[in-house]
mmCIF file of all heavy atoms in Angstrom:
data_model
loop_
_atom_site.group_PDB
_atom_site.id
_atom_site.type_symbol
_atom_site.label_atom_id
_atom_site.label_comp_id
_atom_site.label_asym_id
_atom_site.label_seq_id
_atom_site.Cartn_x
_atom_site.Cartn_y
_atom_site.Cartn_z
ATOM 1 N N GLN A 149 -11.255 5.489 -29.656
ATOM 2 C CA GLN A 149 -12.236 5.035 -28.661
ATOM 3 C C GLN A 149 -13.581 4.664 -29.276
ATOM 4 O O GLN A 149 -14.442 4.118 -28.576
ATOM 5 C CB GLN A 149 -12.456 6.126 -27.608
ATOM 6 C CG GLN A 149 -11.295 6.335 -26.662
ATOM 7 C CD GLN A 149 -11.684 7.227 -25.504
ATOM 8 O OE1 GLN A 149 -12.188 8.329 -25.676
ATOM 9 N NE2 GLN A 149 -11.450 6.742 -24.294
ATOM 10 N N GLY A 150 -13.769 4.977 -30.550
ATOM 11 C CA GLY A 150 -15.068 4.722 -31.162
ATOM 12 C C GLY A 150 -16.145 5.620 -30.595
ATOM 13 O O GLY A 150 -17.249 5.151 -30.270
ATOM 14 N N ARG A 151 -15.854 6.931 -30.508
ATOM 15 C CA ARG A 151 -16.796 7.882 -29.910
ATOM 16 C C ARG A 151 -17.125 9.014 -30.887
ATOM 17 O O ARG A 151 -16.895 10.187 -30.580
ATOM 18 C CB ARG A 151 -16.215 8.459 -28.620
ATOM 19 C CG ARG A 151 -15.970 7.457 -27.521
ATOM 20 C CD ARG A 151 -15.302 8.120 -26.321
ATOM 21 N NE ARG A 151 -16.136 9.161 -25.745
ATOM 22 C CZ ARG A 151 -15.707 10.021 -24.805
ATOM 23 N NH1 ARG A 151 -14.449 9.967 -24.384
ATOM 24 N NH2 ARG A 151 -16.518 10.937 -24.323
ATOM 25 N N PRO A 152 -17.667 8.708 -32.038
ATOM 26 C CA PRO A 152 -18.007 9.786 -32.972
ATOM 27 C C PRO A 152 -19.055 10.738 -32.408
ATOM 28 O O PRO A 152 -19.078 11.925 -32.731
ATOM 29 C CB PRO A 152 -18.545 9.028 -34.200
ATOM 30 C CG PRO A 152 -19.015 7.722 -33.654
ATOM 31 C CD PRO A 152 -18.051 7.379 -32.563
ATOM 32 N N GLY A 153 -19.945 10.203 -31.554
ATOM 33 C CA GLY A 153 -20.968 11.047 -30.944
ATOM 34 C C GLY A 153 -20.365 12.117 -30.058
ATOM 35 O O GLY A 153 -20.837 13.265 -30.029
ATOM 36 N N ALA A 154 -19.304 11.753 -29.319
ATOM 37 C CA ALA A 154 -18.651 12.723 -28.443
ATOM 38 C C ALA A 154 -17.989 13.818 -29.261
ATOM 39 O O ALA A 154 -18.005 15.000 -28.882
ATOM 40 C CB ALA A 154 -17.615 12.017 -27.565
ATOM 41 N N PHE A 155 -17.417 13.446 -30.400
ATOM 42 C CA PHE A 155 -16.783 14.442 -31.263
ATOM 43 C C PHE A 155 -17.827 15.389 -31.849
ATOM 44 O O PHE A 155 -17.623 16.609 -31.912
ATOM 45 C CB PHE A 155 -16.009 13.750 -32.387
ATOM 46 C CG PHE A 155 -15.233 14.696 -33.257
ATOM 47 C CD1 PHE A 155 -14.017 15.211 -32.826
ATOM 48 C CD2 PHE A 155 -15.722 15.074 -34.489
ATOM 49 C CE1 PHE A 155 -13.296 16.091 -33.616
ATOM 50 C CE2 PHE A 155 -15.013 15.951 -35.296
ATOM 51 C CZ PHE A 155 -13.791 16.462 -34.858
ATOM 52 N N ALA A 156 -18.963 14.829 -32.275
ATOM 53 C CA ALA A 156 -20.046 15.667 -32.809
ATOM 54 C C ALA A 156 -20.580 16.599 -31.734
ATOM 55 O O ALA A 156 -20.888 17.772 -32.002
ATOM 56 C CB ALA A 156 -21.171 14.775 -33.350
ATOM 57 N N ARG A 157 -20.697 16.094 -30.508
ATOM 58 C CA ARG A 157 -21.159 16.930 -29.393
ATOM 59 C C ARG A 157 -20.189 18.065 -29.121
ATOM 60 O O ARG A 157 -20.593 19.207 -28.857
ATOM 61 C CB ARG A 157 -21.326 16.066 -28.145
ATOM 62 C CG ARG A 157 -21.857 16.831 -26.931
ATOM 63 C CD ARG A 157 -21.965 15.912 -25.726
ATOM 64 N NE ARG A 157 -20.664 15.404 -25.331
ATOM 65 C CZ ARG A 157 -20.426 14.131 -25.023
ATOM 66 N NH1 ARG A 157 -21.386 13.237 -25.097
ATOM 67 N NH2 ARG A 157 -19.220 13.741 -24.655
ATOM 68 N N ALA A 158 -18.888 17.769 -29.204
ATOM 69 C CA ALA A 158 -17.881 18.798 -28.989
ATOM 70 C C ALA A 158 -17.997 19.903 -30.033
ATOM 71 O O ALA A 158 -17.929 21.102 -29.718
ATOM 72 C CB ALA A 158 -16.483 18.179 -29.024
ATOM 73 N N ALA A 159 -18.178 19.500 -31.292
ATOM 74 C CA ALA A 159 -18.327 20.482 -32.366
ATOM 75 C C ALA A 159 -19.580 21.327 -32.164
ATOM 76 O O ALA A 159 -19.553 22.556 -32.331
ATOM 77 C CB ALA A 159 -18.371 19.767 -33.713
ATOM 78 N N ALA A 160 -20.677 20.669 -31.803
ATOM 79 C CA ALA A 160 -21.928 21.401 -31.579
ATOM 80 C C ALA A 160 -21.790 22.378 -30.413
ATOM 81 O O ALA A 160 -22.279 23.519 -30.478
ATOM 82 C CB ALA A 160 -23.065 20.413 -31.309
ATOM 83 N N ALA A 161 -21.134 21.940 -29.358
ATOM 84 C CA ALA A 161 -20.953 22.815 -28.194
ATOM 85 C C ALA A 161 -20.105 24.025 -28.557
ATOM 86 O O ALA A 161 -20.365 25.146 -28.101
ATOM 87 C CB ALA A 161 -20.298 22.035 -27.051
ATOM 88 N N GLY A 162 -19.078 23.820 -29.379
ATOM 89 C CA GLY A 162 -18.254 24.942 -29.816
ATOM 90 C C GLY A 162 -19.074 25.981 -30.552
ATOM 91 O O GLY A 162 -18.916 27.187 -30.340
ATOM 92 N N VAL A 163 -19.987 25.506 -31.410
ATOM 93 C CA VAL A 163 -20.850 26.421 -32.159
ATOM 94 C C VAL A 163 -21.796 27.164 -31.217
ATOM 95 O O VAL A 163 -21.948 28.391 -31.294
ATOM 96 C CB VAL A 163 -21.655 25.651 -33.225
ATOM 97 C CG1 VAL A 163 -22.698 26.566 -33.872
ATOM 98 C CG2 VAL A 163 -20.717 25.073 -34.283
ATOM 99 N N VAL A 164 -22.433 26.432 -30.318
ATOM 100 C CA VAL A 164 -23.400 27.043 -29.401
ATOM 101 C C VAL A 164 -22.737 28.079 -28.506
ATOM 102 O O VAL A 164 -23.213 29.219 -28.374
ATOM 103 C CB VAL A 164 -24.086 25.959 -28.539
ATOM 104 C CG1 VAL A 164 -24.927 26.599 -27.436
ATOM 105 C CG2 VAL A 164 -24.950 25.062 -29.408
ATOM 106 N N VAL A 165 -21.636 27.695 -27.880
ATOM 107 C CA VAL A 165 -20.943 28.626 -26.981
ATOM 108 C C VAL A 165 -20.413 29.825 -27.759
ATOM 109 O O VAL A 165 -20.477 30.969 -27.296
ATOM 110 C CB VAL A 165 -19.796 27.907 -26.242
ATOM 111 C CG1 VAL A 165 -18.987 28.886 -25.407
ATOM 112 C CG2 VAL A 165 -20.354 26.809 -25.343
ATOM 113 N N GLY A 166 -19.913 29.570 -28.969
ATOM 114 C CA GLY A 166 -19.420 30.667 -29.793
ATOM 115 C C GLY A 166 -20.517 31.646 -30.156
ATOM 116 O O GLY A 166 -20.321 32.867 -30.107
#
Side-chain angles (χ1 to χ4, degrees):
Q149 289 191 307
R151 297 176 62 190
F155 185 79
R157 182 181 63 225
V163 172
V164 171
V165 175

